[in-house]
Amino acid sequence: MTRAAVVGAGTMGNGVAHVFAQSGFEVILVDVSEDLLENALAAIKKNMDRQVKKGSLDEAARDSALDRIQVATDLSATSAAEVVVEAVPENQEVKERIFHTLDEVTPAGVILASNTSSVSITALAAQTGRPERVIGMHFMNPVPVMQLIEIVRGLATSDETVERITQLSRDLGKTPVLVRDSPGFVSNRVLMPMINEAIFCVHEGVAEAEAIDEIMKLGMNHPIGPLALADLIGLDTCLFILNVLHSDLGDDKYRACPLLRNYVAAGWLGRKTGRGFYTY
Ligand code: NAD
């Protein structure tokens, strides 16, 4: 594969476009407005400049990577790609609509991938006439830095699609790990209950946030404590994913801590609002 499209140019989409372009792909980046696309291109340039400063990318490679990214505000621009990665906000209805349209505007052989953290890949695939070529490519944030891509196999995803996306992930310099389609996949199913339990410890007065994070860093060798990580991810996102785990798996062990609900109600969403379990 040499041509990719990325739909949604936010935090994740611009990172995915960055990695494709840096790996030699022609990239079409789609969002709903020119302004958002300009911001995304500026973010990609800034992140590549940082790599140049660190010595992990040279200036000529940066310039040619940037030249390989085209932008568009219409989904039909994805028709020239061999693979499309969708990275629009975590809303099932919006994603289903986009998959329906992508199925209409791209040739039948194109693989349609979603970067969703929790929406069912099987449900997105059902919006298309090519469920065997729909798959999850769950990149981690920040995309240019993080090694993992959690590859999510929907009920109808074919072996060939899994193989092609596994190879593509390696071509992007990443490490793919394959899982089946299930709420929260593996990454969030394991991570979110740990974060939730850390929040319960604050809620019940077992220890202060700093102490909980210190214990997990020094005692379990985690590079970042669960509460600092929750602030980084966004407390609204954590609550959203816990609610999906709770409702879709039907087990009360995924019940979100009331303190997390209160923080989200207060607008204390973590780093992005300047206040969460820490102040920024
Ligand atoms: P974001 O809000 O930063 O970006 C989403 C972008 O999609 C926005 O620029 C928005 O304008 C655009 N968009 C909305 N509707 C569109 C449409 N119809 N066509 C084209 N573009 C459209 O969101 P994000 O944090 O980048 O998350 C995107 C996806 O990645 C979500 O599914 C999320 O769950 C997943 N994800 C996020 C993270 C993270 O840490 N942020 C990590 C892994 C996966």
Side-chain angles (χ1 to χ4, degrees):
M1 287 193 226
T2 56
R3 295 185 313 278
V6 180
V7 180
T11 312
M12 296 305 287
N14 79 55
V16 174
H18 173 145
V19 167
F20 269 115
Q22 197 183 327
S23 307
F25 284 75
E26 297 293 331
V27 184
I28 300 137
L29 180 57
V30 183
D31 207 304
V32 291
S33 80
E34 300 285 352
D35 281 357
L36 289 165
L37 288 163
E38 248 169 57
N39 292 344
L41 288 176
I44 294 169
K45 177 159 188 315
K46 190 168 146 221
N47 291 330
M48 286 189 180
D49 285 344
R50 197 173 299 149
Q51 289 172 292
V52 170
K53 235 180 230 154
K54 276 200 316 201
S56 60
L57 185 70
D58 64 44
E59 283 184 20
R62 174 201 59 197
D63 293 346
S64 58
L66 289 171
D67 280 349
R68 281 192 287 273
I69 305 176
Q70 310 280 325
V71 296
T73 53
D74 193 324
L75 277 180
S76 62
T78 59
S79 64
E82 293 155 288
V83 59
V84 182
V85 179
E86 166 277 312
V88 305
E90 193 72 349
N91 175 313
Q92 181 154 349
E93 239 173 73
V94 174
K95 286 186 190 286
E96 285 187 353
R97 227 176 27 233
I98 285 176
F99 270 74
H100 185 80
T101 308
L102 287 173
D103 191 45
E104 286 175 345
V105 299
T106 60
V110 172
I111 295 179
L112 305 178
S114 176
N115 186 48
T116 181
S117 311
S118 60
V119 173
S120 158
I121 296 302
T122 306
L124 296 178
Q127 296 300 312
T128 73
R130 67 184 90 176
E132 68 284 1
R133 278 191 284 281
V134 175
I135 194 164
M137 270 186 106
H138 187 204
F139 290 83
M140 304 290 132
N141 185 16
V143 181
V145 175
M146 299 294 281
Q147 191 59 39
L148 175 69
I149 303 180
E150 189 177 35
I151 306 290
V152 185
R153 174 176 202 143
L155 207 53
T157 311
S158 68
D159 289 343
E160 190 198 339
T161 299
V162 170
E163 279 157 25
R164 291 182 70 198
I165 292 301
T166 299
Q167 186 54 50
L168 170 66
S169 304
R170 296 201 176 105
D171 292 345
L172 296 176
K174 303 292 187 192
T175 304
V177 180
L178 180 64
V179 306
R180 286 190 188 281
D181 190 17
S182 176
F185 314 133
V186 168
S187 50
N188 282 314
R189 182 160 171 179
V190 175
L191 174 65
M192 287 303 158
M194 182 188 69
I195 285 176
N196 199 37
E197 210 53 42
I199 299 172
F200 268 112
C201 287
V202 178
H203 186 55
E204 293 170 11
V206 180
E208 300 289 328
E210 289 82 357
I212 294 164
D213 279 354
E214 199 73 348
I215 286 166
M216 298 307 286
K217 282 195 293 183
L218 299 182
M220 319 302 158
N221 224 8
H222 289 195
I224 181 173
L227 297 166
L229 180 57
D231 277 356
L232 185 70
I233 293 169
L235 300 185
D236 51 341
T237 303
C238 293
L239 178 58
F240 181 87
I241 297 170
L242 278 163
N243 284 341
V244 169
L245 291 172
H246 192 192
S247 70
D248 292 8
L249 292 165
D251 190 326
D252 279 346
K253 74 181 177 185
Y254 301 108
R255 175 179 71 105
C257 178
L259 185 64
L260 174 61
R261 294 189 187 285
N262 268 344
Y263 270 48
V264 172
W268 299 352
L269 306 182
R271 277 178 187 270
K272 61 186 167 190
T273 59
R275 179 164 187 179
F277 290 99
Y278 297 90
T279 40
Y280 299 90

